Amino acid sequence: MHLAYFTEQPMSAYPEEEGRKAGHTALMFSNRFYDRDAASQLYQDRITEYKLVEEVGFDGIMLNEHHNAPFCMQSKCNIFASILAAITERVKIVLLGNPLPLTENPVRLAEELAMIDLVSQGRLVSGFVRGGGTEQLAIGVNPAYNRERFEEAHDLIIKTWTEPGPWRWEGTHYQNRVVNPWALPLQRPHPRVWIPGIASRETVVWAARHRYPYVCLNTSVEDTLRVWKLYAQIAEEVGFQPGPEHRGYLLRVHCADTEEKALANARQFTWMQGEFTGLAHPVWSAPAGYNPAKQRQVLVEIAHGRRVARRDVGFEQQIENLRIIAGTPDRVVEQLRVIMEATRPGIFMIWGNDGFVTHEDSMRCIELLGREVLPAVREIAAELDLKDPFEVGAPVSEAAAQQQPSALRA
Amino acid sequence: MAVTEALPEAPEQFVEVVGEKIHWLQSGSGDSLIVLHHEIGNPGWLPFYEQLAQRFTVTVPDFPGWGQSERPLWMRSVRDLAVELNLLFDQAGVEETVLVGLGFGGWVAAEMATMNQSRCKRLVLVGATGVQPPEGEILDQFLYAHMDYVKMGFHDNDNFRRVYGEEPATEQLMDWDVHREMTARIAWKPYLFSQTLPYLLPGLTTPTLIVWGADDRIVPRSCGERYRDALPNSRLEVIEGAGHFVEMEKPDELSRLVLDFAGA
């Protein structure tokens, strides 16, 4: 089992009352409230924490990016990936991921990722995402072509990594007349691609068609199982048997020395007026054309207050139904077993600290997770036979599987 | 659709151009007058059209991708749209016409006129987008719920209610979303204006009437002034008590201006 650590890297120094006054904390919440001095210190704290993450035995560090909001300080995940490439030695650098449609030049992105893989000596896992609706507005990218750009950018990046140049790309959204970068990833045929999501059907299908692991981002157990079912259906069409190595799960888990402290800190997972990703007008989250046409009715109804968006229930209930796990190491292990048995992932992302959790408490949480929780989780994983893509040597993609001798194709 | 006040019906027709189905409404008699709709789409046969139809044969096409016209997946710019509409009216045998463009449709009309002056006898631009405002900005509809945005285009909320009702049906909201998506597909960046059109306007000698709602909160009046300054044979009129959707708020005043200008 691959066990990675994750934090959104919150800009916890933002003035909460200003967010309440503005009525939103995403996209249009003014960056005049951005505290530069605190931000610089917060980055230092994250670097110290990431070093400890490696030291205490995690297999990977998951990074992501968001824009125009205090809930995530990473506006370019490749920056922290580059830092980790240099300051860590062993952990995988798991990007979940680069929002492809936001890039105007996927070849540049392919170069950056190749450099990260080279500097880290082959430790990159290069996930790709579409980016949220607000992200399109924050970067000024046309939401109506989001999925087309995602798929074309992906195809161009994989080709850049795998087909010797120079060659020419004349696509719909991207045109590059001389593709021949002198930066290629160390891993062959290319770094692993994992696709995270919150269960958008189109993305699950796309991931399964490519044989990429799909990482459910903090979805309920029921939704997660629905994703696995859909993934398995598509895998069958493609011609492979999916296993734990194709299934990733991200879960909020906070560990502390006492139950009280763990619960108090875990409450921070619901910071920012109760909605982690900040308050945004629903029309910003679902700009016209960003979502499939069949969702149009539901989305315009939500945008006009005629339907309530499906939201997470309250903190207590999330603790109750294991959407958030908090406690001392023993208690956490006990609960993780339930989740592992129910969802059977080979890739487990532990979202450890967020909101206003202090640096000291974050360090302690990482320490406890690494030294006490992870060894027990590895035992459970062995017992449940939950292996990750590295352990089973899974082909990095369906295309790569087709290149292998038939005896090796599963 | 979803127009609440009783409107006269206008015969509708589907025509095909470049392999795509285009829907239009047509009524009246006399010389040709074509109305090009806003980016929110055409809500139906409006009193403004009916008044013009007393003197003209009025044609109101749904743009490709809007209303009941088929979506052109290939289309990437407002100039593409203008070319397709010119082809449509070539095919329809319209040799001379008055072109009336409303808001976004004003941009389309100006593009069409620069391409084919001989067809466009008279040009009317009402709250037209298409040029970058020297002062202010064109309102970004992507930051507002559809209904809020449309309401901002009215000076008086009663006028919104008269046309769309107190609570427009979900179907209307979905139509607005489809039209918003098409707007994104062809006019995302720069948003609702062209960087090159201003350089072509001085070559357009067609007599042009520019009309602005005094309370247009969507397209700054400075756009109207820029059109007036760039077009050699033009004048700018401002209608009080109107927002961006002048034809829905002040149909009598607007039709009188248009008829005086083009109907003699």
Side-chain angles (χ1 to χ4, degrees):
Chain A
M1 163 164 278
H2 182 86
L3 287 156
Y5 173 81
F6 173 68
T7 169
E8 286 272 11
Q9 295 201 7
M11 165 36 111
S12 51
Y14 91 103
E16 229 185 321
E17 63 288 357
E18 294 295 344
R20 277 180 218 286
K21 238 187 280 170
H24 48 258
T25 46
L27 189 65
M28 302 288 282
F29 181 50
S30 175
N31 64 2
R32 73 172 174 270
F33 302 117
Y34 186 86
D35 184 334
R36 304 168 201 224
D37 301 310
S40 179
Q41 183 55 48
L42 286 165
Y43 279 142
Q44 309 310 315
D45 293 348
R46 296 296 91 80
I47 287 172
T48 310
E49 290 162 16
Y50 286 142
K51 285 180 181 164
L52 180 64
V53 166
E54 175 167 75
E55 196 188 313
V56 300
F58 278 92
D59 303 317
I61 294 173
M62 166 182 160
L63 302 171
N64 71 340
E65 73 174 61
H66 285 285
H67 302 267
N68 289 30
F71 79 87
C72 178
M73 281 183 67
Q74 292 203 74
S75 42
K76 182 78 175 155
C77 64
N78 291 358
I79 302 281
F80 249 87
S82 308
I83 294 166
L84 293 182
I87 67 166
T88 61
E89 291 176 355
R90 182 184 53 77
V91 286
K92 303 288 185 197
I93 300 161
V94 184
L95 307 183
L96 298 184
N98 269 288
L100 293 183
L102 302 190
T103 186
E104 291 304 331
N105 191 338
V107 176
R108 293 279 291 141
L109 192 53
E111 288 182 309
E112 289 170 22
L113 292 165
M115 287 178 68
I116 293 165
D117 198 44
L118 292 161
V119 174
S120 69
Q121 299 182 293
R123 291 187 284 131
L124 175 68
V125 173
S126 177
F128 298 127
V129 297
R130 296 166 60 207
T134 52
E135 253 75 64
Q136 318 304 312
L137 301 176
I139 304 303
V141 172
N142 197 330
Y145 299 115
N146 177 276
R147 190 164 290 278
E148 288 181 21
R149 286 169 70 94
F150 174 81
E151 293 186 8
E152 186 180 330
H154 162 269
D155 294 350
L156 175 50
I157 289 170
I158 298 296
K159 187 171 177 185
T160 302
W161 283 343
T162 53
E163 192 168 316
W167 42 265
R168 181 166 171 164
W169 183 273
E170 297 287 357
T172 304
H173 298 283
Y174 304 104
Q175 296 82 30
N176 296 67
R177 296 208 294 280
V178 185
V179 181
N180 188 33
W182 274 67
L184 291 170
L186 180 62
Q187 297 179 82
R188 295 167 184 81
H190 58 76
R192 289 185 182 278
V193 175
W194 297 352
I195 304 298
I198 49 173
S200 138
R201 185 189 161 83
E202 289 73 15
T203 306
V204 176
V205 169
W206 184 88
R209 289 209 188 288
H210 287 82
R211 211 170 178 157
Y212 295 148
Y214 185 86
V215 183
C216 286
L217 300 178
N218 209 67
T219 48
S220 69
V221 169
E222 301 74 52
D223 284 349
T224 307
L225 294 179
R226 266 194 286 277
V227 168
W228 299 158
K229 193 174 164 199
L230 174 61
Y231 190 101
Q233 278 168 10
I234 304 299
E236 195 184 350
E237 286 170 28
V238 174
F240 70 98
Q241 177 72 41
E245 70 271 24
H246 298 103
R247 301 196 283 256
Y249 193 48
L250 169 78
L251 186 63
R252 292 168 293 181
V253 181
H254 186 82
C255 208
D257 290 301
T258 66
E259 291 293 316
E260 296 68 40
K261 180 150 206 169
L263 280 170
N265 277 338
R267 201 172 273 279
Q268 292 301 317
F269 285 124
T270 63
W271 76 314
M272 227 178 255
Q273 289 99 58
E275 193 186 7
F276 186 81
T277 52
L279 295 176
H281 192 295
V283 88
W284 304 343
S285 311
Y290 172 78
N291 288 294
K294 66 178 187 308
Q295 291 175 22
R296 199 181 301 279
Q297 181 173 347
V298 168
L299 293 169
V300 298
E301 285 175 356
I302 292 172
H304 291 82
R306 296 181 183 183
R307 180 193 284 259
V308 180
R310 199 171 67 151
R311 287 242 174 96
D312 275 341
V313 291
F315 175 73
E316 281 73 20
Q317 210 176 327
Q318 291 189 66
I319 287 282
E320 181 72 24
N321 59 23
L322 305 187
R323 297 291 296 282
I324 296 175
I325 287 179
T328 56
D330 287 350
R331 175 101 180 102
V332 164
V333 170
E334 200 178 293
Q335 299 190 336
L336 284 177
R337 172 184 275 280
V338 176
I339 291 291
M340 288 166 73
E341 285 176 350
T343 62
R344 298 188 52 79
I347 299 162
F348 211 126
M349 307 292 178
I350 295 181
W351 179 353
N353 295 288
D354 251 300
F356 296 109
V357 175
T358 63
H359 175 48
E360 291 66 33
D361 285 357
S362 296
M363 292 289 281
R364 184 62 186 154
C365 169
I366 291 164
E367 179 101 33
L368 291 171
L369 285 171
R371 302 219 193 275
E372 301 189 35
V373 174
L374 295 198
V377 167
R378 288 190 201 287
E379 279 178 30
I380 300 169
E383 177 195 322
L384 299 175
D385 198 24
L386 304 178
K387 292 202 173 71
D388 66 45
F390 305 103
E391 290 172 290
V392 300
V396 296
S397 67
E398 174 57 17
Q402 294 303 323
Q403 305 286 315
Q404 289 183 350
S406 57
L408 288 176
R409 283 181 221 151
Chain B
M1 73 160 303
V3 174
T4 54
E5 59 186 18
L7 292 181
E9 293 288 315
E12 64 173 2
Q13 199 183 334
F14 285 93
V15 287
E16 205 176 287
V17 67
V18 296
E20 286 157 11
K21 204 174 63 172
I22 301 288
H23 173 257
W24 77 32
L25 299 176
Q26 193 173 64
S27 188
S29 58
D31 300 335
S32 166
L33 182 147
I34 296 164
V35 181
L36 302 180
H37 61 68
H38 290 279
E39 91 287 342
I40 61 167
N42 178 25
W45 190 255
L46 296 168
F48 170 62
Y49 308 156
E50 186 63 19
Q51 287 160 15
L52 297 176
Q54 305 308 310
R55 160 69 182 82
F56 291 99
T57 301
V58 177
T59 308
V60 189
D62 282 340
F63 295 154
W66 271 262
Q68 295 179 60
S69 295
E70 204 174 332
R71 176 181 286 188
L73 291 170
W74 56 272
M75 194 176 276
R76 288 293 186 273
S77 71
V78 169
R79 207 159 272 169
D80 291 343
L81 170 56
V83 172
E84 182 168 331
L85 290 176
N86 268 327
L87 292 172
L88 175 72
F89 292 112
D90 285 346
Q91 190 182 290
V94 179
E95 284 172 11
E96 289 192 328
T97 193
V98 177
L99 207 47
V100 179
L102 308 172
F104 173 74
W107 177 11
V108 181
E111 294 278 359
M112 287 174 70
T114 59
M115 292 167 195
N116 190 342
Q117 291 203 54
S118 58
R119 173 153 56 217
C120 184
K121 264 172 48 188
R122 290 275 191 281
L123 178 63
V124 180
L125 305 177
V126 186
T129 73
V131 296
Q132 183 173 14
E135 278 171 55
E137 306 284 355
I138 297 171
L139 188 74
D140 184 356
Q141 66 175 306
F142 286 82
L143 299 179
Y144 301 94
H146 312 66
M147 187 162 64
D148 295 340
Y149 172 72
V150 175
K151 281 182 175 173
M152 278 188 272
F154 283 84
H155 164 75
D156 184 341
N157 203 38
D158 284 344
N159 292 326
F160 170 88
R161 275 199 291 272
R162 202 164 37 74
V163 180
Y164 292 105
E166 186 73 52
E167 280 292 320
T170 298
E171 289 70 27
Q172 175 66 72
L173 304 180
M174 289 167 71
D175 281 352
W176 282 333
D177 196 64
V178 170
H179 301 156
R180 187 177 273 202
E181 180 175 346
M182 263 318 290
T183 305
R185 290 179 74 90
I186 66 171
W188 176 257
K189 198 183 258 191
Y191 180 62
L192 289 186
F193 67 83
S194 160
Q195 289 172 325
T196 56
L197 178 62
Y199 296 92
L200 299 171
L201 293 175
L204 183 56
T205 53
T206 305
T208 302
L209 170 67
I210 302 159
V211 184
W212 234 261
D215 184 30
D216 190 330
R217 288 176 283 168
I218 290 183
V219 184
R221 198 190 301 179
S222 66
C223 286
E225 290 156 0
R226 189 167 183 190
Y227 270 115
R228 181 199 59 202
D229 295 346
L231 290 165
N233 202 358
S234 69
R235 71 171 212 268
L236 171 62
E237 296 281 347
V238 174
I239 295 185
E240 295 299 325
H244 181 60
F245 303 119
V246 184
E247 79 291 350
M248 291 191 255
E249 289 211 282
K250 294 285 174 186
D252 300 348
E253 289 83 342
L254 183 60
S255 62
R256 202 173 307 127
L257 275 175
V258 174
L259 290 170
D260 286 352
F261 169 69

